[in-house]
Amino acid sequence: MLTGRLGSRVTPSHACRAMFTAGMPSGGRLPGFWVSAPNIVPAFRKGEDAVPLDSFTIDCRPYTPGTWSEAELLERMRATFDKHGVVRLTQTGFTDPKDMAKYARTVIPKQMKYEGGANPREGIIQNVFEVGAPNDAWLHYHHEMAYNQHSMKNLAFCSIKSTPGKGDTYLSENLMVTDKLMQTDLGRKLRDKGVCYIRCLTDREAYKGKGWKDGAAVYNHWQLSFGVETAEEAEAKAKDCGLEVEWIQDPLNSASNRYMKTKLVISAFEFCPNSGRNVLYSSIADHNMWFDTWSGVHDVPPTKRPLQMTFGDGTPFTMEELRQWVSLYDEGGIRVQWETGDILAFCNYRYAHGRPAFHLHKWEQRQIGVLLGEKFWREGVRENCW
């Protein structure tokens, strides 16, 4: 083991849990908890895991810090990550995010600064951030920061606090998903047309600092997204991300004219250097449907929501295309259950990630720390690399 062991936990039986989540992805929450059901409810996984969890999971109990066995663990982590594009550590005994981050950096040695991100992330420790999303929101499969001209090569999640069966993370194996998508008309349209991302950010001063946690119809303020205080600084940061910027009136707060609208037209795919091929690098997580279950924003009319997404030529997606897109990601699904101290590091090209909504009782906790990997500038696809 890496440190002193945690106390043992009792996990509710699958039979008991199924009484409340029948037909749901494991670790999720029933749509009936919301005022209205979302337009598309992802399954996150169909049947068994697309990649066996054991193939990239390392039980850390045999290893001890500061000894030869720790060096063996680090080498095993690198070898697993190189082979599968993902590695998961369990039974670490860690409770301090600093310890978890140290091991995550074994395979993610370089981290980028969080600028231009969509979610209002807060720092836990240096370069380790909160997830920045409400528990009762379904987080559709996505590749981190696909909506900017720059993205990140990889990322890691660290389980700082956990409740068994609550808030499971799902990965989707993207090589398989890409192959299946390219056999469809949707895949060919995405290849030929690209995608257009429109992201709108509110002015913190217009909402007196309030966000979705306070019940406001707010996704993120541009001051938080770009880590700045003035509109001029925010616009400069946005242009550094390759975004077009327009300042308009807030559709939900007519007194504010500092509503930041950004736009990017870009490929729906990205060349993956480690795999030597083009992979899908877009999802409906950047569509207004992202907010169907988002506290404070789900009641906002879809056309006024902070995220909008179309094909690159401005053509809207049909509901059938959106459902097909979600279903294909579900086919690549892998369920990752959390215990405190677990670490999951993965390639942002090869795996999309997401999670169902979940509910915590007052005595239950879940906290995931996020490490953002090395920045890269997107190049789109390469010819003859399909």
mmCIF file of all heavy atoms in Angstrom, residues 200-224 247-260 295-297 300-301 304-306:
data_model
loop_
_atom_site.group_PDB
_atom_site.id
_atom_site.type_symbol
_atom_site.label_atom_id
_atom_site.label_comp_id
_atom_site.label_asym_id
_atom_site.label_seq_id
_atom_site.Cartn_x
_atom_site.Cartn_y
_atom_site.Cartn_z
ATOM 1 N N CYS A 200 -21.280 31.821 -24.832
ATOM 2 C CA CYS A 200 -21.592 33.134 -24.276
ATOM 3 C C CYS A 200 -21.313 33.157 -22.782
ATOM 4 O O CYS A 200 -21.699 32.236 -22.057
ATOM 5 C CB CYS A 200 -23.049 33.499 -24.549
ATOM 6 S SG CYS A 200 -23.443 33.587 -26.316
ATOM 7 N N LEU A 201 -20.662 34.228 -22.337
ATOM 8 C CA LEU A 201 -20.252 34.350 -20.939
ATOM 9 C C LEU A 201 -20.813 35.639 -20.353
ATOM 10 O O LEU A 201 -20.723 36.710 -20.965
ATOM 11 C CB LEU A 201 -18.722 34.352 -20.846
ATOM 12 C CG LEU A 201 -18.034 33.097 -21.401
ATOM 13 C CD1 LEU A 201 -16.535 33.326 -21.539
ATOM 14 C CD2 LEU A 201 -18.309 31.888 -20.520
ATOM 15 N N THR A 202 -21.379 35.514 -19.173
ATOM 16 C CA THR A 202 -22.002 36.658 -18.509
ATOM 17 C C THR A 202 -20.967 37.530 -17.794
ATOM 18 O O THR A 202 -19.841 37.106 -17.533
ATOM 19 C CB THR A 202 -23.035 36.158 -17.483
ATOM 20 O OG1 THR A 202 -22.473 35.064 -16.745
ATOM 21 C CG2 THR A 202 -24.303 35.685 -18.157
ATOM 22 N N ASP A 203 -21.393 38.732 -17.463
ATOM 23 C CA ASP A 203 -20.569 39.680 -16.709
ATOM 24 C C ASP A 203 -20.843 39.474 -15.225
ATOM 25 O O ASP A 203 -21.979 39.614 -14.768
ATOM 26 C CB ASP A 203 -20.919 41.103 -17.140
ATOM 27 C CG ASP A 203 -20.185 42.164 -16.342
ATOM 28 O OD1 ASP A 203 -19.204 41.833 -15.642
ATOM 29 O OD2 ASP A 203 -20.600 43.341 -16.417
ATOM 30 N N ARG A 204 -19.822 39.154 -14.476
ATOM 31 C CA ARG A 204 -19.979 38.893 -13.039
ATOM 32 C C ARG A 204 -20.612 40.080 -12.316
ATOM 33 O O ARG A 204 -21.441 39.907 -11.409
ATOM 34 C CB ARG A 204 -18.601 38.592 -12.433
ATOM 35 C CG ARG A 204 -18.614 38.274 -10.933
ATOM 36 C CD ARG A 204 -17.191 38.082 -10.436
ATOM 37 N NE ARG A 204 -16.409 39.288 -10.655
ATOM 38 C CZ ARG A 204 -15.081 39.318 -10.711
ATOM 39 N NH1 ARG A 204 -14.375 38.189 -10.597
ATOM 40 N NH2 ARG A 204 -14.439 40.453 -10.888
ATOM 41 N N GLU A 205 -20.247 41.305 -12.724
ATOM 42 C CA GLU A 205 -20.760 42.490 -12.034
ATOM 43 C C GLU A 205 -22.265 42.644 -12.239
ATOM 44 O O GLU A 205 -22.979 43.129 -11.358
ATOM 45 C CB GLU A 205 -20.023 43.735 -12.530
ATOM 46 C CG GLU A 205 -18.505 43.668 -12.382
ATOM 47 C CD GLU A 205 -18.070 43.257 -10.991
ATOM 48 O OE1 GLU A 205 -18.620 43.819 -10.016
ATOM 49 O OE2 GLU A 205 -17.208 42.368 -10.864
ATOM 50 N N ALA A 206 -22.776 42.228 -13.399
ATOM 51 C CA ALA A 206 -24.210 42.343 -13.678
ATOM 52 C C ALA A 206 -25.035 41.403 -12.817
ATOM 53 O O ALA A 206 -26.241 41.612 -12.630
ATOM 54 C CB ALA A 206 -24.475 42.080 -15.157
ATOM 55 N N TYR A 207 -24.391 40.353 -12.310
ATOM 56 C CA TYR A 207 -25.094 39.374 -11.474
ATOM 57 C C TYR A 207 -24.608 39.413 -10.029
ATOM 58 O O TYR A 207 -24.895 38.495 -9.251
ATOM 59 C CB TYR A 207 -24.911 37.971 -12.054
ATOM 60 C CG TYR A 207 -25.699 37.765 -13.327
ATOM 61 C CD1 TYR A 207 -25.184 38.155 -14.556
ATOM 62 C CD2 TYR A 207 -26.977 37.206 -13.299
ATOM 63 C CE1 TYR A 207 -25.904 37.982 -15.734
ATOM 64 C CE2 TYR A 207 -27.708 37.028 -14.465
ATOM 65 C CZ TYR A 207 -27.161 37.423 -15.681
ATOM 66 O OH TYR A 207 -27.895 37.254 -16.834
ATOM 67 N N LYS A 208 -23.851 40.468 -9.707
ATOM 68 C CA LYS A 208 -23.337 40.662 -8.348
ATOM 69 C C LYS A 208 -22.602 39.422 -7.843
ATOM 70 O O LYS A 208 -22.722 39.033 -6.673
ATOM 71 C CB LYS A 208 -24.474 41.037 -7.392
ATOM 72 C CG LYS A 208 -25.173 42.339 -7.785
ATOM 73 C CD LYS A 208 -26.286 42.705 -6.823
ATOM 74 C CE LYS A 208 -26.941 44.014 -7.238
ATOM 75 N NZ LYS A 208 -28.073 44.384 -6.312
ATOM 76 N N GLY A 209 -21.886 38.783 -8.768
ATOM 77 C CA GLY A 209 -21.060 37.633 -8.402
ATOM 78 C C GLY A 209 -21.784 36.314 -8.303
ATOM 79 O O GLY A 209 -21.174 35.279 -8.072
ATOM 80 N N LYS A 210 -23.118 36.327 -8.496
ATOM 81 C CA LYS A 210 -23.891 35.095 -8.340
ATOM 82 C C LYS A 210 -23.767 34.200 -9.574
ATOM 83 O O LYS A 210 -23.602 34.684 -10.694
ATOM 84 C CB LYS A 210 -25.354 35.414 -8.069
ATOM 85 C CG LYS A 210 -25.607 36.062 -6.712
ATOM 86 C CD LYS A 210 -27.091 36.253 -6.448
ATOM 87 C CE LYS A 210 -27.323 36.850 -5.059
ATOM 88 N NZ LYS A 210 -28.768 37.029 -4.784
ATOM 89 N N GLY A 211 -23.848 32.870 -9.335
ATOM 90 C CA GLY A 211 -23.792 31.894 -10.414
ATOM 91 C C GLY A 211 -24.849 30.841 -10.220
ATOM 92 O O GLY A 211 -25.796 31.019 -9.428
ATOM 93 N N TRP A 212 -24.687 29.704 -10.930
ATOM 94 C CA TRP A 212 -25.708 28.661 -10.846
ATOM 95 C C TRP A 212 -25.833 28.087 -9.442
ATOM 96 O O TRP A 212 -26.904 27.616 -9.052
ATOM 97 C CB TRP A 212 -25.438 27.553 -11.870
ATOM 98 C CG TRP A 212 -24.095 26.880 -11.763
ATOM 99 C CD1 TRP A 212 -22.984 27.145 -12.506
ATOM 100 C CD2 TRP A 212 -23.729 25.821 -10.872
ATOM 101 N NE1 TRP A 212 -21.941 26.332 -12.137
ATOM 102 C CE2 TRP A 212 -22.372 25.502 -11.145
ATOM 103 C CE3 TRP A 212 -24.398 25.108 -9.882
ATOM 104 C CZ2 TRP A 212 -21.679 24.511 -10.441
ATOM 105 C CZ3 TRP A 212 -23.715 24.118 -9.188
ATOM 106 C CH2 TRP A 212 -22.376 23.826 -9.465
ATOM 107 N N LYS A 213 -24.755 28.124 -8.667
ATOM 108 C CA LYS A 213 -24.837 27.618 -7.289
ATOM 109 C C LYS A 213 -25.798 28.436 -6.438
ATOM 110 O O LYS A 213 -26.318 27.959 -5.428
ATOM 111 C CB LYS A 213 -23.451 27.625 -6.644
ATOM 112 C CG LYS A 213 -22.487 26.602 -7.225
ATOM 113 C CD LYS A 213 -21.156 26.639 -6.491
ATOM 114 C CE LYS A 213 -20.193 25.614 -7.056
ATOM 115 N NZ LYS A 213 -18.872 25.646 -6.362
ATOM 116 N N ASP A 214 -26.031 29.665 -6.867
ATOM 117 C CA ASP A 214 -26.945 30.560 -6.145
ATOM 118 C C ASP A 214 -28.327 30.588 -6.774
ATOM 119 O O ASP A 214 -29.170 31.395 -6.394
ATOM 120 C CB ASP A 214 -26.373 31.982 -6.137
ATOM 121 C CG ASP A 214 -24.932 32.024 -5.654
ATOM 122 O OD1 ASP A 214 -24.708 31.673 -4.489
ATOM 123 O OD2 ASP A 214 -24.046 32.383 -6.453
ATOM 124 N N GLY A 215 -28.554 29.716 -7.771
ATOM 125 C CA GLY A 215 -29.854 29.650 -8.418
ATOM 126 C C GLY A 215 -30.022 30.614 -9.577
ATOM 127 O O GLY A 215 -31.112 30.704 -10.152
ATOM 128 N N ALA A 216 -28.959 31.345 -9.929
ATOM 129 C CA ALA A 216 -29.047 32.288 -11.042
ATOM 130 C C ALA A 216 -28.949 31.543 -12.370
ATOM 131 O O ALA A 216 -28.350 30.472 -12.456
ATOM 132 C CB ALA A 216 -27.924 33.328 -10.939
ATOM 133 N N ALA A 217 -29.530 32.127 -13.424
ATOM 134 C CA ALA A 217 -29.485 31.517 -14.755
ATOM 135 C C ALA A 217 -28.155 31.853 -15.416
ATOM 136 O O ALA A 217 -28.081 32.539 -16.440
ATOM 137 C CB ALA A 217 -30.647 32.016 -15.600
ATOM 138 N N VAL A 218 -27.085 31.372 -14.798
ATOM 139 C CA VAL A 218 -25.728 31.709 -15.204
ATOM 140 C C VAL A 218 -24.923 30.434 -15.370
ATOM 141 O O VAL A 218 -24.995 29.521 -14.532
ATOM 142 C CB VAL A 218 -25.051 32.615 -14.140
ATOM 143 C CG1 VAL A 218 -23.550 32.716 -14.391
ATOM 144 C CG2 VAL A 218 -25.680 33.990 -14.141
ATOM 145 N N TYR A 219 -24.166 30.359 -16.447
ATOM 146 C CA TYR A 219 -23.236 29.244 -16.661
ATOM 147 C C TYR A 219 -21.856 29.605 -16.128
ATOM 148 O O TYR A 219 -21.330 28.991 -15.216
ATOM 149 C CB TYR A 219 -23.184 28.917 -18.147
ATOM 150 C CG TYR A 219 -22.276 27.772 -18.519
ATOM 151 C CD1 TYR A 219 -22.186 26.629 -17.731
ATOM 152 C CD2 TYR A 219 -21.519 27.823 -19.687
ATOM 153 C CE1 TYR A 219 -21.367 25.576 -18.098
ATOM 154 C CE2 TYR A 219 -20.712 26.768 -20.061
ATOM 155 C CZ TYR A 219 -20.629 25.649 -19.258
ATOM 156 O OH TYR A 219 -19.823 24.602 -19.629
ATOM 157 N N ASN A 220 -21.258 30.665 -16.700
ATOM 158 C CA ASN A 220 -19.949 31.115 -16.253
ATOM 159 C C ASN A 220 -19.773 32.582 -16.629
ATOM 160 O O ASN A 220 -20.246 33.032 -17.666
ATOM 161 C CB ASN A 220 -18.838 30.273 -16.898
ATOM 162 C CG ASN A 220 -17.510 30.391 -16.158
ATOM 163 O OD1 ASN A 220 -17.424 31.036 -15.119
ATOM 164 N ND2 ASN A 220 -16.475 29.771 -16.699
ATOM 165 N N HIS A 221 -19.095 33.312 -15.777
ATOM 166 C CA HIS A 221 -18.759 34.705 -16.055
ATOM 167 C C HIS A 221 -17.421 34.768 -16.784
ATOM 168 O O HIS A 221 -16.522 33.964 -16.518
ATOM 169 C CB HIS A 221 -18.654 35.499 -14.756
ATOM 170 C CG HIS A 221 -19.893 35.459 -13.901
ATOM 171 N ND1 HIS A 221 -21.136 35.842 -14.368
ATOM 172 C CD2 HIS A 221 -20.086 35.090 -12.603
ATOM 173 C CE1 HIS A 221 -22.034 35.723 -13.395
ATOM 174 N NE2 HIS A 221 -21.415 35.262 -12.322
ATOM 175 N N TRP A 222 -17.279 35.732 -17.686
ATOM 176 C CA TRP A 222 -16.021 35.817 -18.437
ATOM 177 C C TRP A 222 -14.843 36.141 -17.530
ATOM 178 O O TRP A 222 -13.703 35.763 -17.819
ATOM 179 C CB TRP A 222 -16.123 36.794 -19.598
ATOM 180 C CG TRP A 222 -16.694 38.162 -19.339
ATOM 181 C CD1 TRP A 222 -17.963 38.582 -19.598
ATOM 182 C CD2 TRP A 222 -15.994 39.307 -18.826
ATOM 183 N NE1 TRP A 222 -18.108 39.922 -19.271
ATOM 184 C CE2 TRP A 222 -16.916 40.380 -18.801
ATOM 185 C CE3 TRP A 222 -14.685 39.523 -18.391
ATOM 186 C CZ2 TRP A 222 -16.557 41.659 -18.337
ATOM 187 C CZ3 TRP A 222 -14.328 40.784 -17.935
ATOM 188 C CH2 TRP A 222 -15.263 41.835 -17.907
ATOM 189 N N GLN A 223 -15.099 36.791 -16.408
ATOM 190 C CA GLN A 223 -14.001 37.070 -15.468
ATOM 191 C C GLN A 223 -13.413 35.770 -14.923
ATOM 192 O O GLN A 223 -12.184 35.662 -14.728
ATOM 193 C CB GLN A 223 -14.500 37.932 -14.302
ATOM 194 C CG GLN A 223 -14.837 39.372 -14.682
ATOM 195 C CD GLN A 223 -16.300 39.574 -15.016
ATOM 196 O OE1 GLN A 223 -16.982 38.649 -15.438
ATOM 197 N NE2 GLN A 223 -16.804 40.787 -14.826
ATOM 198 N N LEU A 224 -14.282 34.766 -14.665
ATOM 199 C CA LEU A 224 -13.808 33.483 -14.143
ATOM 200 C C LEU A 224 -13.211 32.620 -15.256
ATOM 201 O O LEU A 224 -12.191 31.944 -15.058
ATOM 202 C CB LEU A 224 -14.965 32.737 -13.472
ATOM 203 C CG LEU A 224 -15.548 33.371 -12.210
ATOM 204 C CD1 LEU A 224 -16.731 32.544 -11.721
ATOM 205 C CD2 LEU A 224 -14.494 33.468 -11.120
ATOM 206 N N TRP A 247 -19.352 41.702 -28.259
ATOM 207 C CA TRP A 247 -19.981 42.116 -27.008
ATOM 208 C C TRP A 247 -21.416 42.549 -27.313
ATOM 209 O O TRP A 247 -21.649 43.444 -28.134
ATOM 210 C CB TRP A 247 -19.210 43.262 -26.364
ATOM 211 C CG TRP A 247 -17.823 42.850 -25.965
ATOM 212 C CD1 TRP A 247 -16.681 43.020 -26.687
ATOM 213 C CD2 TRP A 247 -17.445 42.193 -24.759
ATOM 214 N NE1 TRP A 247 -15.601 42.497 -26.010
ATOM 215 C CE2 TRP A 247 -16.040 41.983 -24.819
ATOM 216 C CE3 TRP A 247 -18.132 41.752 -23.627
ATOM 217 C CZ2 TRP A 247 -15.325 41.362 -23.801
ATOM 218 C CZ3 TRP A 247 -17.429 41.131 -22.607
ATOM 219 C CH2 TRP A 247 -16.048 40.942 -22.694
ATOM 220 N N ILE A 248 -22.380 41.901 -26.667
ATOM 221 C CA ILE A 248 -23.784 42.155 -26.962
ATOM 222 C C ILE A 248 -24.565 42.315 -25.663
ATOM 223 O O ILE A 248 -24.026 42.139 -24.556
ATOM 224 C CB ILE A 248 -24.400 41.018 -27.810
ATOM 225 C CG1 ILE A 248 -24.342 39.682 -27.043
ATOM 226 C CG2 ILE A 248 -23.684 40.897 -29.151
ATOM 227 C CD1 ILE A 248 -25.033 38.532 -27.766
ATOM 228 N N GLN A 249 -25.855 42.608 -25.804
ATOM 229 C CA GLN A 249 -26.731 42.715 -24.634
ATOM 230 C C GLN A 249 -27.064 41.327 -24.123
ATOM 231 O O GLN A 249 -27.341 40.407 -24.888
ATOM 232 C CB GLN A 249 -28.007 43.449 -25.012
ATOM 233 C CG GLN A 249 -28.944 43.721 -23.833
ATOM 234 C CD GLN A 249 -30.220 44.409 -24.278
ATOM 235 O OE1 GLN A 249 -31.050 43.821 -24.968
ATOM 236 N NE2 GLN A 249 -30.379 45.670 -23.887
ATOM 237 N N ASP A 250 -27.019 41.175 -22.806
ATOM 238 C CA ASP A 250 -27.362 39.907 -22.163
ATOM 239 C C ASP A 250 -28.851 39.614 -22.420
ATOM 240 O O ASP A 250 -29.711 40.417 -22.050
ATOM 241 C CB ASP A 250 -27.098 40.018 -20.657
ATOM 242 C CG ASP A 250 -27.258 38.704 -19.913
ATOM 243 O OD1 ASP A 250 -28.029 37.839 -20.376
ATOM 244 O OD2 ASP A 250 -26.625 38.540 -18.864
ATOM 245 N N PRO A 251 -29.202 38.486 -23.054
ATOM 246 C CA PRO A 251 -30.612 38.214 -23.365
ATOM 247 C C PRO A 251 -31.474 37.990 -22.131
ATOM 248 O O PRO A 251 -32.703 38.066 -22.226
ATOM 249 C CB PRO A 251 -30.544 36.942 -24.217
ATOM 250 C CG PRO A 251 -29.256 36.296 -23.835
ATOM 251 C CD PRO A 251 -28.316 37.417 -23.546
ATOM 252 N N LEU A 252 -30.856 37.741 -20.992
ATOM 253 C CA LEU A 252 -31.620 37.533 -19.759
ATOM 254 C C LEU A 252 -31.461 38.676 -18.759
ATOM 255 O O LEU A 252 -32.046 38.646 -17.684
ATOM 256 C CB LEU A 252 -31.180 36.216 -19.100
ATOM 257 C CG LEU A 252 -31.342 34.950 -19.943
ATOM 258 C CD1 LEU A 252 -30.862 33.731 -19.158
ATOM 259 C CD2 LEU A 252 -32.785 34.755 -20.373
ATOM 260 N N ASN A 253 -30.649 39.666 -19.117
ATOM 261 C CA ASN A 253 -30.418 40.799 -18.220
ATOM 262 C C ASN A 253 -30.157 42.027 -19.098
ATOM 263 O O ASN A 253 -29.016 42.338 -19.438
ATOM 264 C CB ASN A 253 -29.225 40.519 -17.307
ATOM 265 C CG ASN A 253 -29.004 41.606 -16.267
ATOM 266 O OD1 ASN A 253 -29.596 42.678 -16.334
ATOM 267 N ND2 ASN A 253 -28.131 41.329 -15.308
ATOM 268 N N SER A 254 -31.215 42.710 -19.479
ATOM 269 C CA SER A 254 -31.126 43.800 -20.456
ATOM 270 C C SER A 254 -30.277 44.971 -19.968
ATOM 271 O O SER A 254 -29.841 45.806 -20.770
ATOM 272 C CB SER A 254 -32.533 44.297 -20.812
ATOM 273 O OG SER A 254 -33.213 44.755 -19.649
ATOM 274 N N ALA A 255 -29.987 45.020 -18.673
ATOM 275 C CA ALA A 255 -29.164 46.107 -18.142
ATOM 276 C C ALA A 255 -27.683 45.893 -18.420
ATOM 277 O O ALA A 255 -26.877 46.808 -18.238
ATOM 278 C CB ALA A 255 -29.388 46.239 -16.635
ATOM 279 N N SER A 256 -27.329 44.694 -18.880
ATOM 280 C CA SER A 256 -25.916 44.377 -19.118
ATOM 281 C C SER A 256 -25.611 44.338 -20.611
ATOM 282 O O SER A 256 -26.241 43.603 -21.376
ATOM 283 C CB SER A 256 -25.565 43.014 -18.496
ATOM 284 O OG SER A 256 -24.261 42.628 -18.870
ATOM 285 N N ASN A 257 -24.610 45.117 -21.019
ATOM 286 C CA ASN A 257 -24.128 45.106 -22.407
ATOM 287 C C ASN A 257 -22.731 44.503 -22.495
ATOM 288 O O ASN A 257 -22.044 44.687 -23.503
ATOM 289 C CB ASN A 257 -24.125 46.528 -22.976
ATOM 290 C CG ASN A 257 -25.536 47.063 -23.182
ATOM 291 O OD1 ASN A 257 -26.374 46.391 -23.776
ATOM 292 N ND2 ASN A 257 -25.800 48.263 -22.680
ATOM 293 N N ARG A 258 -22.325 43.844 -21.433
ATOM 294 C CA ARG A 258 -21.005 43.203 -21.443
ATOM 295 C C ARG A 258 -21.176 41.672 -21.431
ATOM 296 O O ARG A 258 -20.526 40.956 -20.686
ATOM 297 C CB ARG A 258 -20.169 43.672 -20.258
ATOM 298 C CG ARG A 258 -19.901 45.169 -20.260
ATOM 299 C CD ARG A 258 -18.661 45.539 -19.477
ATOM 300 N NE ARG A 258 -18.687 45.039 -18.103
ATOM 301 C CZ ARG A 258 -17.633 45.101 -17.285
ATOM 302 N NH1 ARG A 258 -16.487 45.631 -17.706
ATOM 303 N NH2 ARG A 258 -17.726 44.657 -16.042
ATOM 304 N N TYR A 259 -22.038 41.208 -22.283
ATOM 305 C CA TYR A 259 -22.290 39.783 -22.489
ATOM 306 C C TYR A 259 -21.346 39.341 -23.602
ATOM 307 O O TYR A 259 -21.432 39.825 -24.736
ATOM 308 C CB TYR A 259 -23.746 39.580 -22.884
ATOM 309 C CG TYR A 259 -24.251 38.158 -22.926
ATOM 310 C CD1 TYR A 259 -24.422 37.420 -21.764
ATOM 311 C CD2 TYR A 259 -24.615 37.574 -24.140
ATOM 312 C CE1 TYR A 259 -24.932 36.126 -21.808
ATOM 313 C CE2 TYR A 259 -25.130 36.293 -24.197
ATOM 314 C CZ TYR A 259 -25.279 35.563 -23.016
ATOM 315 O OH TYR A 259 -25.795 34.283 -23.077
ATOM 316 N N MET A 260 -20.441 38.452 -23.294
ATOM 317 C CA MET A 260 -19.353 38.095 -24.203
ATOM 318 C C MET A 260 -19.742 36.879 -25.046
ATOM 319 O O MET A 260 -19.922 35.789 -24.534
ATOM 320 C CB MET A 260 -18.089 37.776 -23.396
ATOM 321 C CG MET A 260 -16.858 37.539 -24.230
ATOM 322 S SD MET A 260 -15.433 37.167 -23.170
ATOM 323 C CE MET A 260 -14.096 37.265 -24.363
ATOM 324 N N SER A 295 -28.719 23.089 -13.250
ATOM 325 C CA SER A 295 -29.402 23.918 -12.261
ATOM 326 C C SER A 295 -29.284 25.398 -12.606
ATOM 327 O O SER A 295 -28.204 25.893 -12.900
ATOM 328 C CB SER A 295 -28.795 23.658 -10.874
ATOM 329 O OG SER A 295 -29.408 24.469 -9.901
ATOM 330 N N GLY A 296 -30.432 26.088 -12.587
ATOM 331 C CA GLY A 296 -30.446 27.515 -12.859
ATOM 332 C C GLY A 296 -30.563 27.877 -14.324
ATOM 333 O O GLY A 296 -30.983 28.974 -14.661
ATOM 334 N N VAL A 297 -30.163 26.953 -15.226
ATOM 335 C CA VAL A 297 -30.127 27.268 -16.658
ATOM 336 C C VAL A 297 -31.116 26.417 -17.450
ATOM 337 O O VAL A 297 -31.493 26.780 -18.557
ATOM 338 C CB VAL A 297 -28.696 27.094 -17.229
ATOM 339 C CG1 VAL A 297 -28.595 27.624 -18.651
ATOM 340 C CG2 VAL A 297 -27.678 27.812 -16.354
ATOM 341 N N VAL A 300 -34.110 28.077 -19.111
ATOM 342 C CA VAL A 300 -33.872 29.110 -20.120
ATOM 343 C C VAL A 300 -34.212 28.540 -21.499
ATOM 344 O O VAL A 300 -33.834 27.402 -21.805
ATOM 345 C CB VAL A 300 -32.403 29.571 -20.084
ATOM 346 C CG1 VAL A 300 -32.114 30.560 -21.213
ATOM 347 C CG2 VAL A 300 -32.072 30.198 -18.729
ATOM 348 N N PRO A 301 -34.946 29.279 -22.351
ATOM 349 C CA PRO A 301 -35.242 28.774 -23.704
ATOM 350 C C PRO A 301 -33.958 28.356 -24.418
ATOM 351 O O PRO A 301 -32.935 29.052 -24.314
ATOM 352 C CB PRO A 301 -35.910 29.974 -24.379
ATOM 353 C CG PRO A 301 -36.478 30.779 -23.258
ATOM 354 C CD PRO A 301 -35.531 30.606 -22.112
ATOM 355 N N LYS A 304 -31.596 30.823 -26.111
ATOM 356 C CA LYS A 304 -30.968 31.843 -25.283
ATOM 357 C C LYS A 304 -29.938 31.255 -24.315
ATOM 358 O O LYS A 304 -29.387 31.979 -23.489
ATOM 359 C CB LYS A 304 -32.040 32.619 -24.496
ATOM 360 C CG LYS A 304 -32.951 33.461 -25.368
ATOM 361 C CD LYS A 304 -33.916 34.279 -24.526
ATOM 362 C CE LYS A 304 -34.807 35.167 -25.404
ATOM 363 N NZ LYS A 304 -35.720 35.999 -24.585
ATOM 364 N N ARG A 305 -29.690 29.964 -24.422
ATOM 365 C CA ARG A 305 -28.726 29.336 -23.526
ATOM 366 C C ARG A 305 -27.292 29.705 -23.912
ATOM 367 O O ARG A 305 -27.027 30.050 -25.069
ATOM 368 C CB ARG A 305 -28.919 27.817 -23.537
ATOM 369 C CG ARG A 305 -30.221 27.396 -22.867
ATOM 370 C CD ARG A 305 -30.428 25.890 -22.940
ATOM 371 N NE ARG A 305 -31.689 25.503 -22.303
ATOM 372 C CZ ARG A 305 -32.141 24.260 -22.254
ATOM 373 N NH1 ARG A 305 -31.446 23.269 -22.822
ATOM 374 N NH2 ARG A 305 -33.282 23.990 -21.646
ATOM 375 N N PRO A 306 -26.363 29.617 -22.972
ATOM 376 C CA PRO A 306 -24.998 30.120 -23.214
ATOM 377 C C PRO A 306 -24.188 29.342 -24.241
ATOM 378 O O PRO A 306 -23.191 29.861 -24.732
ATOM 379 C CB PRO A 306 -24.342 30.013 -21.835
ATOM 380 C CG PRO A 306 -25.454 29.899 -20.858
ATOM 381 C CD PRO A 306 -26.566 29.220 -21.569
#
